[in-house]
Amino acid sequence: MFDPDVLGLFPDSSGIEDGQLSIGGVPARALAAEHGTPLVAYCEQTLRARAREIREAVPEALVVYASKAFPNIAILRLFAEEGLGADVASLGELAFARAAGIGSERVFVHGNAKSDEELRAAAEAGATVVLDAEDETERAASVGVARVLVRVTLGVEADTHEAIQTGHHGSKFGLPPAAAFRAVERARSLGLDVAGVHVHVGSQLADTAAHDETVELLASFATLCRDELGWEPAVVNVGGGFAVRHVPEEPEVRLGTVTRLAADGVLRAWRANDLREPQLVLEPGRALVGQAGVTLYRIRSVKRLDDVTWVAVDGGMSDNPRPGLYGARYTALSAARADEPASETVSVAGLHCESGDVLIDDVLLPSPRPGDLLAIPVTGAYTLAMSSNYNATARPAAVLVAGGDARVIRRRETIDDLLAFESYSNRSETPM
Ligand code: LLP
């Protein structure tokens, strides 16, 4: 029998009937039969619910979706319908946001190494550029960028995996206060509209301790700017970083609660320094799409060794590199046999040619068999977004499910797609 705590990790519209997992009213088995595996199924109800949860908790804030968590035009459109904007961090993500019709006043362009082409595209789109380096200021002004924020790095070490801390001393992102101060001065002298400041402390943060510490330091920075330059930030973008729970053992993080706390932290710090109340911007990625996504895999082989039982599936680190990169933990459900006793502890391996390609170290399942469907919840963020073609595997498809229907929002790659990137005529065949 499935663990109800595990079912609780699945999207809001999930259910189990006669041992069959369904999402958005579509049985997992039907999704796999029609669209193949691996497949990432996104639940529309959950996507909308998370967007509304933040908007209701912090109605005064502009919420922008950090599209790096899963850059997808259908999902960006859906969030636009919910009143969200987009954080983009590349020319590609900017193109996606524009294709989704996100209003330019809601697009923020990030990156610690923006190209002139990117800055020009941001200027043409009328988006706000988040300045990340002093030498970016002239380049932004010269290509016609109008509105900027300055990203400040305040030396706060967030309680998360080292690879996803961003606000610590020595971070490659943003500018420490003295350099940020100079960037504000320089940008203003070049005629840019310096609308405000930006911070992003880190990702997968279970509480607001790092946010709170950061915004207090940010308020001191803003006070210094006011006193020395006569300039105050009208916009305060506090980034994203709100955690999601991947396994029952991780703490539950209520998105409405943490976003409200983060917003209150800004208000408190601003009031304490007599600063003018700013337009607040929140920039969550993972918290909007993480729980909405479920990956379906087909079990290819089961290998029972003395110390471990390996269940090998038809995907792996090419569609979810997070266990390898961050030690991320996941759990799984036997999607078509969920009512059978979970009797065997197994490890779930990917198909790739390295021992580190393990999706789950330990999970309890009904005795697995080749051909079974496995569903891994909370795989909506930074999975397909970080997927690769390792071993020349084609990337999976993504579907959006709601009301008993599934629609493809990103098609599966084919081997022909991969072959099309190659140039493989022999030299002798090359025309002279
Ligand atoms: N804003 C900025 C400027 C960011 O750099 C990020 C994430 C976000 C917002 C959204 O953070 P979120 O709400 O999603 O935590 N690949 C890693 C996560 C990298 C996050 C990068 N920046 C992972 O799979 O855990």
Side-chain angles (χ1 to χ4, degrees):
M1 189 55 189
F2 63 90
D3 174 351
D5 286 346
V6 170
L7 185 62
L9 299 170
F10 278 80
D12 299 357
S13 66
S14 307
I16 291 178
E17 212 173 310
D18 295 334
Q20 301 289 324
L21 171 72
S22 69
I23 306 158
V26 190
R29 205 153 61 174
L31 288 171
E34 183 165 353
H35 301 282
T37 52
L39 179 72
V40 188
Y42 282 89
C43 163
E44 179 171 342
Q45 186 187 326
T46 308
L47 293 168
R48 291 193 189 274
R50 289 305 96 83
R52 286 174 196 174
E53 188 175 344
I54 308 185
R55 295 218 52 208
E56 278 161 24
V58 196
E60 73 273 28
L62 168 62
V63 181
V64 302
Y65 166 50
S67 63
K68 67 203 78 181
F70 181 46
N72 177 268
I73 296 171
I75 288 181
L76 279 157
R77 275 213 172 130
L78 184 153
F79 283 149
E81 284 170 14
E82 297 295 334
L84 271 52
D87 145 1
V88 300
S90 69
L91 211 48
E93 287 179 4
L94 178 58
F96 277 39
R98 297 200 77 187
I102 310 253
S104 58
E105 70 293 351
R106 289 163 183 241
V107 177
F108 292 79
V109 180
H110 286 278
N112 65 314
K114 299 180 197 76
S115 66
D116 287 346
E117 200 186 351
E118 248 173 293
L119 290 169
R120 204 169 297 117
E124 277 164 16
T128 302
V129 168
V130 182
L131 291 177
D132 197 282
E134 285 184 78
D135 55 24
E136 202 175 68
T137 315
E138 266 81 17
R139 291 200 294 126
S142 73
V143 298
V145 167
R147 189 170 183 259
V148 297
L149 304 182
V150 173
R151 180 164 177 171
V152 193
T153 302
L154 293 147
V156 173
E157 206 159 295
D159 181 16
T160 187
H161 191 282
E162 197 184 347
I164 50 178
Q165 292 177 333
T166 42
H168 54 287
H169 279 298
S171 168
K172 73 167 184 169
F173 296 106
L175 293 163
F181 183 89
R182 286 194 299 270
V184 170
E185 244 184 330
R186 201 143 137 196
R188 292 184 74 226
S189 74
L190 289 166
L192 291 167
D193 167 14
V194 187
V197 286
H198 174 276
V199 289
H200 175 71
V201 215
S203 204
Q204 184 64 3
L205 312 177
D207 60 39
T208 58
H211 270 120
D212 292 346
E213 197 181 334
T214 300
V215 296
E216 283 196 15
L217 296 167
L218 189 64
S220 305
F221 174 77
T223 306
L224 180 78
C225 289
R226 179 193 61 197
D227 297 346
E228 303 278 317
L229 301 174
W231 172 88
E232 260 184 66
V235 174
V236 174
N237 181 331
V238 294
F242 310 103
V244 297
R245 181 158 75 144
H246 300 89
V247 290
E249 298 77 42
E250 285 176 356
E252 186 173 359
V253 180
R254 295 223 160 261
L255 187 55
T257 309
V258 284
T259 48
R260 185 65 253 167
L261 285 171
D264 286 343
V266 175
L267 293 179
R268 216 175 23 248
W270 249 244
R271 282 186 194 138
N273 288 277
D274 262 336
L275 290 156
R276 274 198 300 273
E277 196 165 307
Q279 163 68 59
L280 190 66
V281 183
L282 297 171
E283 223 169 41
R286 191 191 320 268
L288 284 167
V289 293
Q291 200 207 351
V294 174
T295 308
L296 298 177
Y297 297 100
R298 188 75 72 183
I299 296 178
R300 284 197 178 157
S301 84
V302 179
K303 213 179 264 181
R304 293 188 169 83
L305 308 180
D306 289 344
D307 301 328
V308 59
T309 294
W310 285 115
V311 168
V313 296
D314 56 358
M317 65 193 295
S318 58
D319 57 79
N320 185 1
R322 300 197 67 258
L325 287 174
Y326 319 110
R329 295 175 62 198
Y330 290 93
T331 186
L333 200 68
S334 187
R337 299 173 53 206
D339 53 351
E340 294 180 28
S343 53
E344 208 176 338
T345 299
V346 305
S347 298
V348 180
L351 56 77
H352 293 283
C353 298
E354 57 180 87
S355 293
D357 180 26
V358 175
L359 289 169
I360 306 179
D361 278 333
D362 270 324
V363 60
L364 201 56
L365 291 177
S367 185
R369 299 188 288 250
D372 280 357
L373 258 191
L374 215 57
I376 302 197
V378 205
T379 46
Y382 303 110
T383 51
L384 263 190
M386 297 177 75
S387 60
S388 75
N389 293 119
Y390 187 31
N391 290 136
T393 46
R395 289 179 169 89
V399 292
L400 188 64
V401 289
D405 267 339
R407 110 181 129 92
V408 176
I409 54 169
R410 171 161 156 165
R411 78 156 169 84
R412 183 177 302 285
E413 288 180 357
T414 63
I415 301 302
D416 281 342
D417 288 331
L418 303 185
L419 290 173
F421 284 115
E422 301 293 307
S423 303
Y424 49 91
S425 56
N426 287 334
R427 232 172 230 294
S428 57
E429 292 169 17
T430 312
M432 297 299 281

